[in-house]
């Protein structure tokens, strides 16, 4: 092989053939759900059905969060200057970073350290969780993935853990996350529960995703909402308007039941 | 309601509640597949099961195309300067435009005009397709969504049409796309078949998506591959390297069967 | 020469040599002012001293416009998510488009058409200007480059025309811009004066810049302010804050005289 | 003042008034050169004439480096997908980061530490420089701002130092940079001279710019070349072409003298 060639292990392209991680795309289509293909492309192997269903729930969990997050505001603002749809969406994606979505990676890193510490020390999960919380409080550090500026009890987090148990995917990371939640409540004297970022973090650790891909997974989920926001901005809003991050309201359908 | 408030119809956020298009996210999780949720967020209503499965196949079809497309190269190049993962991915997203992925919107527009013309004129689908091809050739315009610089027969396009028929979603747009394919073959004396962009375009017309969201749907699919490419660039490649668009090769798993 | 080589006419790079448009950079440094080098890089030739000074004034004129423009808001919003400085600045740059800064290209195009019409028809500048205004009003089109949502009399526009006359650069485009301003006032019964975009447009036409580079020149000027805004956001503001486009104020130095 | 107001110290905008850092823009235009205004906007005060001229030379020094740097390749690649000019330019800007241009900030940080160490320890500049080089070699760290993959002797670096001396701006940071250069040559047994990033770093330290704005200043300079590259890509090159980072050549004017 030519020495000057560089290599990538993701997709093989040859005349009349496109295969990701060894699987021809036309064979995946109609056979393997998109969320499972996301797992395949990022991890290199197909998920088990349970892992695939967890991946699906993760991707659904962060699909949008209204017009409040900086990513939605940045995407709409760029679009409002006249940029094409994909440029606006891209601005939203690049807003996802340390402070926005970044709690996923922060919490993955924390959970990995805590579980390793538990395994090395032989201390109980609860003991390690209490130590982690105490240390953070002493150093006045926030524990990423816990608490939310809007939600007291993030329903997406609870649902993710419920599904993780049902699918048999919950293990030491989910256990540690819940122990930290309990330790936080003890320390603060009030609930300070895990949020969707923290729950995603725990499940992504269970699925053995690398920490550094946390923001990437969040982006794959959130691009859906960002696309809807930019499309709304381009087709329904006035160009060059001043987009208030607070003075807006939802005018879509009322609450309704998901049909079974 | 405050007059100064602006409105968005996508997601309602209230304490302990996040609902997209009226459905609480925790109720969608584990119940409605991610691809169906993409349809919901963009169109405002849940798809029928058949529409949802077509959406899924569309999203899988464009998930990646190796290191050749400008979006993958731009994403890797930006990452190679040291940018964080989401900035690199964003550069890939903004590369998707008129000339890259843009054939989807171009072909949607063409098919919508052709089907309208057929319905208004009373001419047969074949007649309209022949006229469309003849006019394009006379004006030396490419017909977007047909032919491919690498694939003679794009297997993803054929599979998409096969699924559209199976799911009962194929209608006048798929018919017109196939008629144009036949007319092109007649006119050129050799096959010049529909590619994945063209097949996506036809099915998106059947699903009644607005033309202007074509690049957005392509971006929602391709962000998966872009994330994998940027992650590979950051974790496995040398910083500031010169990324050749041609001198690269695939070094992932060999061809393998999708397990059933 | 290798047939596969592609060519660019901007900068030659060889060992121990970097030359833009034929001039070694170290020979330009300390000898040719930055604004004149901008002209050189974009147009391919050094400006005359007068052209260079006009270029300088143009670049100073749009250096910043506070926190109101969408480019500043997008840049700050992206930075507030945790992105590095250059990613935030880039978001600001991509906000500059049809509706933001785009009046420069719109007005250049209009002035070029109007001057061509005047030269072909033999009508007076005032007659063509009146016709242009009448047609726009009939078609309910805005004339780009005139009026401003904040400034009744844009002091930057007046100063640019004053300098253009002083430097002997004012010609048919400046004349036409002023005739349109007069025709607008006649038609509306009140002043609706040229703004900084319109004045930049007229002068860029006099300097023979292509219309399609208008947004690029605006970006070269505005990147300075964007960099200051992003730096302020990163170093002085709270992460993930909600950045209001209206509820902000200036807290820098009081008005002061430029020392001579 | 309203408590909810946020504040920015950069630009005051009021009807018929735009003032940066206290100076009305129309008073700066034609009076203060663009490069000096860059200094003003970023630092908050006008430079002395000498500082302004150094700023000008810095901005000229990095205006372009041909089609090789990742920023130019990313910008052209994004444009080649069909994006508007400013989107392409933005992609170039966001490529400037730790590995591309980042040596400026790296070297500023190193020089600041070395000069502080020299002042605190009372050791000579040469002694500190030798220690810095020895430590870097032991830890197998590159010293940012020294050596270049193309240039053995970067003519832009030499010119910057020559001007710094002429303008009376050279001080402890330029001295330390030159001492490190000498120490590197001693240690390696061959010249490994300072490059343009390193020379910019030393002068920016002399001008008392914060380290964290290094990439921003590089971006303000390089946006000029990026705009020219994107304009060339859009107007002269084929869409969706494969842009080789190596197989390209310069086809602009031959070397010529800067007229005096």
């Amino acid at each position: 092989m030519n020495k000057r060639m560089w290599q990538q292990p993701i997709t093989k392209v040859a005349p009349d053939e496109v295969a990701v991680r060894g699987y021809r795309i036309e064979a995946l289509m109609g056979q393997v759900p998109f969320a499972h293909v996301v797992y395949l492309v990022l991890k290199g192997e197909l998920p088990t059905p349970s892992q695939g269903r967890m991946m699906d729930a993760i991707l659904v969990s962060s699909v949008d969060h209204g017009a409040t997050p900086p990513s939605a505001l940045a995407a709409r603002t760029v679009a409002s200057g006249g940029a094409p749809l994909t440029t606006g969406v891209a601005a939203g994606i690049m807003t996802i970073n340390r402070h926005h979505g970044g709690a996923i990676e922060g919490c993955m890193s924390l959970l990995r350290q805590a579980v390793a510490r538990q395994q090395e020390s032989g201390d109980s999960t609860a003991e390690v969780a209490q130590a982690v919380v105490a240390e953070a409080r002493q150093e006045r550090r926030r524990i990423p993935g816990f608490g939310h500026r809007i939600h007291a009890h993030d329903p997406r987090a609870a649902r993710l853990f419920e599904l993780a148990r049902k699918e048999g995917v919950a293990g030491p990371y989910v256990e540690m996350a819940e122990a930290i939640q309990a330790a936080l409540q003890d320390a603060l004297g009030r609930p300070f529960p895990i949020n969707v970022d923290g729950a995603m973090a725990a499940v992504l650790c269970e699925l053995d995703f690398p920490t550094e891909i946390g923001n990437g997974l969040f982006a794959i989920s959130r691009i859906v909402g960002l696309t809807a926001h930019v499309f709304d901005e381009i087709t329904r809003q006035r160009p060059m308007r001043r987009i208030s991050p607070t003075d807006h309201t939802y005018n879509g359908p009322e609450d309704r039941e998901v049909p079974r």
Side-chain angles (χ1 to χ4, degrees), chain A residues 35 38-39 42-43 54-56 58-63 93 96 101 104-105 108 200-201 203-205 207-223:
Chain A
V38 172
Y39 183 106
L42 296 183
K43 296 246 318 174
M54 284 316 298
M55 193 69 199
D56 201 300
I58 283 174
L59 291 172
V60 170
S61 75
S62 296
V63 85
I93 299 296
I96 296 167
I104 300 167
E105 294 185 12
M108 287 176 81
M200 259 178 82
V203 177
L204 290 173
C205 286
L207 298 180
D208 204 28
F209 273 93
T211 299
E212 296 73 19
I213 214 158
N215 278 337
L217 273 161
F218 182 66
I220 291 172
S221 174
R222 184 54 56 85
I223 193 175

Side-chain angles (χ1 to χ4, degrees), chain A residues 82-101:
Chain A
L85 185 122
T86 48
T87 300
V89 171
I93 299 296
M94 72 181 75
T95 312
I96 296 167
N97 208 297
R98 203 152 38 96
H99 305 306
H100 176 23

